[in-house]
Coordinates of all heavy atoms in Angstrom, one line a residue:
Chain B
R1355 N -16.1 28.0 49.2 CA -16.9 28.5 50.2 C -18.4 28.7 49.8 O -18.7 28.8 48.7 CB -16.4 29.9 50.7 CG -16.4 30.9 49.6 CD -15.7 32.2 50.1 NE -15.6 33.1 49.0 CZ -16.2 34.3 48.9 NH1 -16.9 34.7 50.0 NH2 -16.1 35.1 47.9
I1356 N -19.2 28.7 50.8 CA -20.6 29.1 50.7 C -20.8 30.3 51.6 O -20.3 30.3 52.7 CB -21.6 28.0 51.0 CG1 -21.3 26.7 50.3 CG2 -23.0 28.4 50.7 CD1 -22.2 25.5 50.7
L1357 N -21.6 31.3 51.0 CA -21.8 32.5 51.7 C -23.3 32.8 51.9 O -24.0 32.8 50.9 CB -21.1 33.7 50.9 CG -21.2 35.1 51.5 CD1 -20.5 35.2 52.9 CD2 -20.7 36.1 50.6
W1358 N -23.7 33.0 53.1 CA -25.1 33.4 53.4 C -25.1 34.8 54.1 O -24.2 35.1 54.8 CB -25.8 32.4 54.3 CG -25.9 31.0 53.8 CD1 -26.9 30.5 53.1 CD2 -25.1 29.9 54.1 NE1 -26.7 29.2 52.8 CE2 -25.6 28.8 53.4 CE3 -23.8 29.7 54.8 CZ2 -25.0 27.5 53.5 CZ3 -23.2 28.5 54.8 CH2 -23.8 27.4 54.1
H1359 N -26.2 35.4 53.8 CA -26.5 36.7 54.6 C -27.8 36.5 55.3 O -28.8 36.1 54.6 CB -26.5 37.9 53.7 CG -25.1 38.3 53.2 ND1 -24.6 37.8 52.1 CD2 -24.2 39.1 53.8 CE1 -23.3 38.3 51.9 NE2 -23.1 39.1 52.9
I1360 N -27.9 36.8 56.6 CA -29.1 36.6 57.3 C -29.4 37.9 58.0 O -28.5 38.6 58.5 CB -28.9 35.5 58.5 CG1 -28.3 34.3 57.9 CG2 -30.2 35.3 59.2 CD1 -29.2 33.3 57.4
T1361 N -30.7 38.3 58.1 CA -31.1 39.5 58.8 C -32.4 39.2 59.7 O -33.3 38.5 59.2 CB -31.4 40.7 57.9 OG1 -31.8 41.8 58.7 CG2 -32.5 40.4 56.9
K1362 N -32.3 39.7 60.9 CA -33.6 39.6 61.7 C -34.6 40.5 61.0 O -34.2 41.6 60.5 CB -33.3 40.0 63.1 CG -34.5 39.7 64.1 CD -34.3 40.3 65.4 CE -33.5 39.3 66.3 NZ -33.6 39.7 67.7
T1363 N -35.8 40.1 60.9 CA -36.8 40.9 60.2 C -38.1 40.8 60.9 O -38.2 40.5 62.1 CB -36.9 40.5 58.7 OG1 -37.7 41.4 58.0 CG2 -37.4 39.1 58.6
N1364 N -39.2 41.2 60.3 CA -40.5 41.1 60.8 C -41.5 40.6 59.7 O -41.2 40.6 58.5 CB -41.0 42.3 61.5 CG -41.1 43.5 60.5 OD1 -41.9 43.5 59.6 ND2 -40.2 44.5 60.7
Y1365 N -42.7 40.2 60.2 CA -43.6 39.7 59.2 C -44.2 40.7 58.3 O -44.6 40.4 57.2 CB -44.8 38.9 59.9 CG -44.3 37.7 60.6 CD1 -44.1 37.5 61.9 CD2 -43.9 36.5 59.8 CE1 -43.6 36.4 62.5 CE2 -43.4 35.4 60.3 CZ -43.2 35.3 61.7 OH -42.7 34.2 62.3
D1366 N -44.2 41.9 58.7 CA -44.7 43.0 57.8 C -43.8 43.1 56.5 O -44.3 43.2 55.4 CB -44.7 44.4 58.5 CG -45.8 44.4 59.5 OD1 -46.9 43.8 59.4 OD2 -45.6 45.2 60.5
V1367 N -42.5 42.9 56.7 CA -41.6 42.9 55.6 C -41.8 41.7 54.7 O -41.8 41.9 53.5 CB -40.1 43.0 56.1 CG1 -39.1 42.7 55.0 CG2 -39.8 44.3 56.8
L1368 N -41.9 40.6 55.3 CA -42.1 39.3 54.5 C -43.4 39.3 53.8 O -43.4 38.9 52.6 CB -42.0 38.1 55.5 CG -40.7 37.9 56.2 CD1 -40.7 36.8 57.2 CD2 -39.5 37.7 55.2
I1369 N -44.4 39.8 54.4 CA -45.7 39.9 53.7 C -45.6 40.8 52.5 O -46.1 40.6 51.4 CB -46.8 40.3 54.7 CG1 -47.1 39.1 55.7 CG2 -48.1 40.6 54.0 CD1 -47.9 39.5 56.9
A1370 N -45.0 42.0 52.7 CA -44.8 43.0 51.7 C -44.0 42.4 50.5 O -44.2 42.6 49.4 CB -44.2 44.2 52.2
L1371 N -42.9 41.6 50.9 CA -42.1 41.0 49.9 C -42.8 40.0 49.0 O -42.8 40.0 47.8 CB -40.9 40.2 50.6 CG -40.0 39.3 49.7 CD1 -39.2 40.2 48.8 CD2 -39.2 38.4 50.6
L1372 N -43.6 39.2 49.6 CA -44.4 38.2 48.9 C -45.7 38.7 48.2 O -46.4 38.0 47.5 CB -44.8 37.0 49.8 CG -43.6 36.2 50.4 CD1 -44.1 35.0 51.1 CD2 -42.6 35.8 49.3
S1373 N -45.9 40.0 48.5 CA -47.1 40.7 47.9 C -46.6 41.7 46.8 O -47.3 42.5 46.3 CB -47.9 41.5 48.9 OG -48.3 40.5 50.0
D1374 N -45.3 41.6 46.5 CA -44.6 42.5 45.5 C -44.8 44.0 45.9 O -44.9 44.8 45.0 CB -45.2 42.3 44.1 CG -44.6 41.0 43.5 OD1 -43.4 40.7 43.8 OD2 -45.2 40.4 42.6
E1375 N -44.8 44.3 47.2 CA -44.9 45.7 47.6 C -43.5 46.3 47.9 O -43.4 47.5 47.9 CB -45.8 45.8 48.9 CG -47.3 45.5 48.6 CD -48.1 45.3 49.8 OE1 -47.6 45.5 51.0 OE2 -49.3 44.9 49.7
I1376 N -42.5 45.4 48.2 CA -41.2 45.9 48.3 C -40.2 45.0 47.4 O -40.6 43.9 47.2 CB -40.7 46.0 49.7 CG1 -40.8 44.7 50.4 CG2 -41.3 47.0 50.5 CD1 -40.1 44.6 51.7
T1377 N -39.1 45.6 47.1 CA -38.2 44.8 46.3 C -37.5 43.8 47.2 O -37.5 43.9 48.4 CB -37.1 45.7 45.6 OG1 -36.3 46.3 46.6 CG2 -37.8 46.7 44.8
I1378 N -36.9 42.8 46.6 CA -36.1 41.8 47.4 C -35.0 42.5 48.1 O -34.7 42.2 49.2 CB -35.6 40.7 46.4 CG1 -36.7 40.2 45.5 CG2 -35.0 39.5 47.2 CD1 -36.3 39.2 44.4
Y1379 N -34.3 43.4 47.4 CA -33.1 44.1 48.0 C -33.6 44.9 49.2 O -33.0 44.8 50.3 CB -32.6 45.1 46.9 CG -31.4 46.0 47.4 CD1 -30.1 45.5 47.2 CD2 -31.6 47.2 48.0 CE1 -29.0 46.3 47.6 CE2 -30.6 48.0 48.4 CZ -29.3 47.5 48.1 OH -28.2 48.3 48.5
D1380 N -34.7 45.6 49.1 CA -35.2 46.4 50.2 C -35.7 45.5 51.3 O -35.6 45.9 52.5 CB -36.3 47.3 49.7 CG -35.8 48.5 48.9 OD1 -34.6 48.8 49.0 OD2 -36.6 49.1 48.1
A1381 N -36.3 44.4 51.0 CA -36.7 43.5 52.1 C -35.5 43.0 52.9 O -35.6 42.9 54.1 CB -37.4 42.3 51.5
F1382 N -34.4 42.8 52.3 CA -33.2 42.4 53.0 C -32.7 43.5 53.8 O -32.2 43.4 54.9 CB -32.2 41.7 52.1 CG -31.1 41.1 52.9 CD1 -31.3 39.9 53.5 CD2 -29.9 41.7 53.0 CE1 -30.3 39.3 54.3 CE2 -28.9 41.1 53.8 CZ -29.1 39.9 54.4
K1383 N -32.7 44.7 53.2 CA -32.1 45.9 53.8 C -32.9 46.2 55.1 O -32.4 46.7 56.1 CB -32.1 47.0 52.9 CG -31.4 48.3 53.4 CD -31.4 49.4 52.3 CE -30.8 50.6 52.8 NZ -30.8 51.7 51.8
A1384 N -34.2 46.0 55.0 CA -35.1 46.3 56.2 C -34.7 45.4 57.4 O -34.0 44.5 57.2 CB -36.5 46.2 55.7
G1385 N -35.4 45.6 58.4 CA -35.2 44.7 59.6 C -34.0 45.2 60.4 O -33.8 46.4 60.5
S1386 N -33.3 44.4 61.0 CA -32.3 44.8 62.0 C -31.2 45.5 61.3 O -30.9 45.3 60.2 CB -31.7 43.5 62.8 OG -31.1 42.7 61.9
K1387 N -30.5 46.4 62.1 CA -29.4 47.2 61.6 C -28.3 46.3 61.3 O -27.6 46.6 60.3 CB -29.0 48.2 62.8 CG -27.9 49.1 62.4 CD -27.6 50.0 63.6 CE -26.3 50.6 63.5 NZ -25.8 51.3 64.7
N1388 N -28.0 45.3 62.1 CA -26.9 44.5 61.8 C -27.3 43.2 61.1 O -28.3 42.6 61.4 CB -26.2 44.0 63.2 CG -25.5 45.2 63.8 OD1 -24.8 45.9 63.1 ND2 -25.6 45.3 65.1
K1389 N -26.5 42.9 60.1 CA -26.8 41.7 59.3 C -25.6 40.6 59.6 O -24.5 41.0 60.0 CB -26.7 42.0 57.8 CG -27.5 43.2 57.4 CD -29.0 43.1 57.7 CE -29.7 44.4 57.2 NZ -31.1 44.4 57.6
Y1390 N -26.0 39.4 59.5 CA -25.0 38.4 59.7 C -24.5 37.9 58.4 O -25.3 37.5 57.5 CB -25.6 37.2 60.5 CG -26.1 37.5 61.8 CD1 -27.4 37.8 62.1 CD2 -25.2 37.4 62.9 CE1 -27.9 38.1 63.3 CE2 -25.7 37.8 64.2 CZ -27.0 38.1 64.4 OH -27.4 38.4 65.7
M1391 N -23.2 37.8 58.3 CA -22.5 37.2 57.1 C -21.9 35.9 57.5 O -20.9 36.0 58.2 CB -21.5 38.2 56.5 CG -20.9 37.7 55.2 SD -19.8 38.9 54.4 CE -18.3 38.6 55.4
I1392 N -22.4 34.8 56.9 CA -21.9 33.5 57.4 C -21.2 32.9 56.2 O -21.7 32.8 55.1 CB -23.1 32.6 57.8 CG1 -23.9 33.3 58.9 CG2 -22.6 31.2 58.2 CD1 -25.2 32.6 59.2
T1393 N -19.9 32.4 56.5 CA -19.1 31.8 55.5 C -18.8 30.3 55.9 O -18.4 30.1 57.1 CB -17.8 32.5 55.3 OG1 -18.1 33.9 55.1 CG2 -17.0 32.0 54.1
Y1394 N -19.0 29.4 55.0 CA -18.7 28.0 55.3 C -17.6 27.6 54.4 O -17.7 27.7 53.1 CB -19.9 27.1 55.1 CG -19.5 25.6 55.2 CD1 -19.4 25.0 56.4 CD2 -19.4 24.8 54.0 CE1 -19.0 23.7 56.5 CE2 -19.0 23.5 54.1 CZ -18.8 22.9 55.3 OH -18.5 21.6 55.4
T1395 N -16.5 27.1 54.9 CA -15.4 26.5 54.1 C -15.1 25.1 54.7 O -15.7 24.7 55.7 CB -14.1 27.4 54.2 OG1 -13.6 27.3 55.5 CG2 -14.5 28.8 53.8
E1396 N -14.1 24.5 54.1 CA -13.7 23.1 54.6 C -13.1 23.3 56.0 O -13.2 22.3 56.8 CB -12.5 22.6 53.7 CG -13.1 21.9 52.5 CD -12.0 21.2 51.7 OE1 -10.8 21.6 51.9 OE2 -12.3 20.4 50.8
L1397 N -12.7 24.5 56.4 CA -12.2 24.7 57.8 C -13.2 24.9 58.8 O -13.0 24.9 60.0 CB -11.3 25.9 57.8 CG -10.0 25.8 56.8 CD1 -9.2 27.1 56.8 CD2 -9.1 24.6 57.2
G1398 N -14.5 25.2 58.3 CA -15.5 25.4 59.3 C -16.4 26.6 59.0 O -16.4 27.1 57.9
V1399 N -17.0 27.1 60.0 CA -18.0 28.2 59.9 C -17.5 29.5 60.5 O -16.9 29.5 61.6 CB -19.3 27.9 60.5 CG1 -20.3 29.0 60.4 CG2 -19.9 26.6 60.0
D1400 N -17.6 30.6 59.8 CA -17.2 31.9 60.3 C -18.4 32.8 60.2 O -19.1 32.8 59.2 CB -16.1 32.5 59.5 CG -15.7 33.9 59.9 OD1 -15.2 34.0 61.1 OD2 -15.9 34.9 59.2
C1401 N -18.7 33.7 61.2 CA -19.8 34.6 61.1 C -19.4 36.0 61.5 O -18.7 36.2 62.5 CB -20.9 34.1 62.1 SG -22.4 35.1 62.1
K1402 N -19.7 36.9 60.7 CA -19.4 38.3 61.0 C -20.7 39.1 61.1 O -21.7 38.9 60.3 CB -18.6 38.9 59.9 CG -17.1 38.4 59.9 CD -16.3 39.1 58.9 CE -14.8 38.8 59.0 NZ -14.5 37.4 58.9
K1403 N -20.8 40.1 62.0 CA -22.0 40.9 62.1 C -21.6 42.3 61.5 O -20.7 42.9 61.9 CB -22.3 41.1 63.6 CG -23.8 41.4 63.8 CD -24.4 40.9 65.1 CE -23.9 41.6 66.3 NZ -24.7 41.3 67.5
L1404 N -22.3 42.7 60.5 CA -22.0 43.9 59.7 C -23.2 44.7 59.5 O -24.4 44.2 59.4 CB -21.4 43.5 58.3 CG -20.2 42.7 58.3 CD1 -19.9 42.1 56.9 CD2 -19.0 43.5 58.8
T1405 N -23.1 46.0 59.5 CA -24.2 46.9 59.1 C -24.4 46.8 57.6 O -23.5 46.4 56.8 CB -23.9 48.3 59.4 OG1 -22.7 48.7 58.9 CG2 -23.9 48.6 61.0
F1406 N -25.6 47.1 57.1 CA -25.9 46.8 55.7 C -25.0 47.5 54.8 O -24.6 47.0 53.7 CB -27.4 47.3 55.5 CG -27.9 47.0 54.1 CD1 -28.3 45.7 53.8 CD2 -27.9 48.0 53.1 CE1 -28.8 45.4 52.5 CE2 -28.3 47.6 51.8 CZ -28.8 46.4 51.5

Side-chain angles (χ1 to χ4, degrees):
Chain B
R1355 63 192 174 111
I1356 306 178
L1357 180 66
W1358 296 272
H1359 288 90
I1360 312 272
T1361 179
K1362 190 184 274 191
T1363 186
N1364 60 67
Y1365 289 107
D1366 290 331
V1367 168
L1368 296 176
I1369 290 166
L1371 172 68
L1372 298 186
S1373 303
D1374 279 334
E1375 289 168 7
I1376 55 171
T1377 65
I1378 308 168
Y1379 179 93
D1380 287 340
F1382 189 77
K1383 187 178 179 182
S1386 62
K1387 180 183 163 191
N1388 289 320
K1389 314 295 183 187
Y1390 297 95
M1391 185 176 80
I1392 302 170
T1393 309
Y1394 172 80
T1395 66
E1396 275 185 348
L1397 300 176
V1399 180
D1400 177 67
C1401 181
K1402 289 184 172 54
K1403 207 153 63 166
L1404 301 167
T1405 52
F1406 185 79

